[in-house]
Every structure is written in structure tokens, then in C-alpha cells.
């Protein structure tokens, strides 16, 4: 996973907090973290879109699959009062997530679990599943979707952001996806829906958001490069070079029309 540079040196968020003059043990507000803790596109705006689709109430139970350093989980718990199980594969991301959640005073509403969704999700009967840019890391979609179906209440709703495959990849694109984006499988048009229906989901609604994600990833790269001197001052050159390579790889894949952006709701 660490050949995807977004996941290397995840403690770099502490460099950003230090640059804001926030000491390592200080209490935090969720809004102080959201510029740095959302590992998907369009930050909390994208999470708000999910919330509109999910109608969560205080006490609703949400499973966040691939919760990263906990950005979406904290935002949802703070905004809705829902209880979130934040399931994350990588131990270092999970540790950073748990620490930031505690510093935000949200530990009673968010349970951080380090594990693999392919091993099942533990407690069942969730009202909702959210998953932002995690499924693209998982090859075995049948096993993944069976685990999701088993984790949800019968009337539950799942909200996914993921990639789709609009055309065959060149050798270089397939290599970049596999190594630098850790993306071993991308579903073709129609394939996603049939996997969901086969797993027992219904009312599948898919939106193609490719143009938005292309614009976002291109401008993210330009902004990051425009602030290189500042970023090197905060993080050091090695971290900045790694992120530059990752942001550049993703922008190039969108610009070449190699991947599509998908938002999926299924019940
Ligand atoms: C692009 S990050 C997004 C993190 C978070 N959803 C967000 O938007 O801030 C995808 C995350 O999924 C996690 N992940 C990948 N495969 C997983 C699996 N099989 N089970 C649980 N988490 C997984 C990765 O470790 C990574 O932290």
C-alpha cells in the first residue's frame, strides 16, 4: 500500500497542525482537521452529498469502509450525532485516526477498528454504509459486496465513491493504477450494477462524476505545485515529491480518459 504515496508518512497531518501553531496534544475541532483529513475529492462537500442521500439521525449506526485517517467519520459523527464504525486496513492510518478522534472529543461516537472488510465487518445491522475511494483497492468485488450486504439492515443504504473503467488501459496506465494507485480491478460499464444486484442490493443509482473529478484532480495538482516552497518548508522534500507523483499520476489518468468517477447509492 505504501507505494501509493498518499498513504506514506500519514503522520504528516501533524506537520500541518504544527504549522498552524497547534501543539501535539491540544484539543482539536473537526473543522481544524477537514482541510487535511479527507482522502477523497471535494472534501466535506462530498460527505455532505452522502449525508443528503442517507438521512442519518442521532444514534443511526454507520459503517465507514476504508476510513483512512478518519476525516469522513469525524465529520459525520459531529454533524449528525450518528455512531460510526470506522474500519481501516492500515494500522498507521488507524492509529492516527483514533488519536485525532480522541482529541476532537468524539471517541464515544466513533469506534476505530483496524481490519479488512473482506474478513467481514464485525457487528452487523448498520443503518448505512459509506465508502469513499476504498473499493478501488479491492479486487474481489463479490466477496466485498457480500460483506457489505451482510453488514447492513435489510432496509439499509450504501453510498460509494469509486472508479469505473470506460475503455481498455494502456500498459503504462494499468501499471500506474496497480502500483501508484493500488488499484487492481476497475469495473467496466454495467459490471458494477450487476455485481451489486447479484449481491442482493436493489434500487441501484449510479452517477458519472468524471468531469468534476478530472477538474478537481487537475486543480489539486496545480495548487500543490504552486505551493511547493511552502509545502517543502512544512513537510520536507521527500514527502512533497511523493505526493506530487501521486497527484500527478491521478490527474493524468483522468485527463487521458482512462478512468471514470462514480457515485453509487444502493439499498
Ligand atoms: C483513498 S483512502 C480514503 C479514506 C477515507 N475514506 C477518506 O475519504 O478520507 C482509502 C482507504 O481504504 C483503505 N482500505 C483499502 N482496502 C481496504 C480493506 N480491504 N478493508 C478496509 N480498508 C481498506 C485504505 O487503507 C485507505 O485508507
Amino acid at each position: 500500500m505504501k507505494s501509493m504515496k498518499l498513504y506514506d508518512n500519514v503522520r504528516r497531518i501533524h506537520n500541518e497542525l504544527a504549522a498552524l501553531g497547534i501543539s501535539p496534544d491540544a484539543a482539536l475541532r473537526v473543522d481544524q482537521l477537514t482541510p487535511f483529513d479527507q482522502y477523497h475529492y471535494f472534501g466535506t462537500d462530498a460527505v455532505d452529498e452522502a449525508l443528503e442521500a442517507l438521512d442519518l439521525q442521532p444514534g443511526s449506526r454507520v459503517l465507514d469502509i476504508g476510513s483512512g485517517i478518519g476525516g469522513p467519520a469525524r465529520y459525520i459523527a459531529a454533524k449528525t450525532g450518528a455512531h460510526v464504525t470506522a474500519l481501516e486496513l492500515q494500522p498507521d492510518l488507524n492509529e492516527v485516526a483514533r488519536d485525532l478522534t480522541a482529541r476532537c472529543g468524539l471517541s464515544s461516537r466513533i469506534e476505530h477498528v483496524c481490519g479488512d472488510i473482506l474478513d467481514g465487518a464485525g457487528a452487523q445491522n448498520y443503518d448505512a454504509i459509506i465508502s469513499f475511494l476504498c473499493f478501488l483497492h479491492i479486487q474481489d468485488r463479490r466477496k466485498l459486496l457480500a460483506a457489505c450486504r451482510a453488514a447492513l439492515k435489510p432496509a439499509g443504504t450504501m453510498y460509494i465513491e469509486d472508479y469505473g473503467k470506460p475503455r481498455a488501459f494502456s500498459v503504462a496506465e494499468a501499471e500506474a493504477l496497480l502500483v501508484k494507485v493500488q488499484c487492481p480491478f476497475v469495473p467496466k460499464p454495467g459490471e458494477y450494477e450487476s455485481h451489486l444486484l447479484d449481491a442482493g442490493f436493489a434500487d441501484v443509482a449510479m452517477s458519472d462524476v468524471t468531469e468534476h473529478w478530472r477538474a478537481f484532480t487537475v486543480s489539486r495538482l496545480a495548487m500543490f505545485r504552486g505551493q511547493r516552497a511552502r509545502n517543502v518548508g512544512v513537510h520536507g522534500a521527500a514527502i512533497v515529491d511523493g505526493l506530487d507523483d501521486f497527484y500527478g499520476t491521478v490527474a493524468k489518468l483522468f485527463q487521458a480518459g482512462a478512468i471514470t468517477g462514480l457515485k453509487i447509492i444502493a439499498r
Side-chain angles (χ1 to χ4, degrees):
M1 280 298 223
K2 300 306 182 195
S3 63
M4 174 163 156
K5 294 301 170 191
L6 183 67
Y7 301 150
D8 209 8
N9 296 299
V10 290
R11 288 180 183 78
R12 67 182 178 272
I13 190 166
H14 296 298
N15 301 338
E16 294 287 0
L17 296 177
L20 291 172
I22 298 172
S23 63
D25 297 322
L28 291 165
R29 295 189 318 270
V30 169
D31 66 279
Q32 289 176 305
L33 294 174
T34 52
F36 318 113
D37 68 0
Q38 310 284 318
Y39 281 6
H40 55 265
Y41 312 136
F42 291 104
T44 54
D45 289 349
V47 186
D48 280 330
E49 243 183 85
L51 289 179
E52 268 175 40
L54 293 174
D55 188 29
L56 300 177
Q57 307 297 323
S60 295
R61 295 182 64 252
V62 181
L63 174 63
D64 179 1
I65 300 175
S67 45
I69 60 169
R74 279 185 294 275
Y75 183 74
I76 288 172
K79 188 161 182 181
T80 69
H83 183 278
V84 184
T85 301
L87 177 66
E88 171 51 47
L89 182 67
Q90 300 182 71
D92 53 345
L93 277 79
N94 188 60
E95 255 174 52
V96 169
R98 182 178 285 128
D99 170 58
L100 295 174
T101 293
R103 289 172 65 188
C104 288
L106 285 170
S107 298
S108 62
R109 278 193 229 159
I110 303 175
E111 183 189 7
H112 288 282
V113 177
C114 190
D116 185 338
I117 183 60
L118 296 180
D119 295 333
Q124 312 288 298
N125 273 325
Y126 289 101
D127 297 293
I129 288 176
I130 57 158
S131 191
F132 291 90
L133 299 185
C134 168
F135 287 12
L136 54 87
H137 293 310
I138 300 175
Q139 182 148 22
D140 189 342
R141 297 298 177 103
R142 289 185 193 281
K143 196 168 175 187
L144 167 64
L145 294 176
C148 294
R149 173 68 187 84
L152 268 183
K153 279 182 181 168
T157 305
M158 179 159 75
Y159 187 97
I160 309 164
E161 288 195 1
D162 200 1
Y163 290 168
K165 179 176 185 175
R167 60 162 173 78
F169 300 138
S170 70
V171 172
E173 286 165 350
E175 171 79 4
L177 277 163
L178 189 61
V179 177
K180 294 185 176 180
V181 197
Q182 289 290 300
C183 207
F185 170 77
V186 191
K188 292 183 215 129
E191 212 172 3
Y192 220 123
E193 193 162 15
S194 66
H195 285 170
L196 284 162
L197 296 175
D198 289 352
F201 285 88
D203 300 335
V204 177
M206 313 207 36
S207 325
D208 185 323
V209 291
T210 309
E211 273 314 300
H212 286 109
W213 287 10
R214 187 195 52 72
F216 177 91
T217 54
V218 169
S219 81
R220 175 174 69 173
L221 178 65
M223 270 173 54
F224 191 72
R225 289 193 171 156
Q227 296 178 343
R228 182 176 170 87
R230 177 262 175 207
N231 292 333
V232 169
V234 171
H235 297 291
I239 287 178
V240 171
D241 289 344
L243 286 173
D244 187 287
D245 188 44
F246 172 69
Y247 293 154
T249 301
V250 175
K252 199 169 159 190
L253 288 164
F254 272 109
Q255 279 179 306
I259 45 177
T260 50
L262 299 173
K263 294 193 180 194
I264 301 148
I265 303 171
R267 298 182 203 284

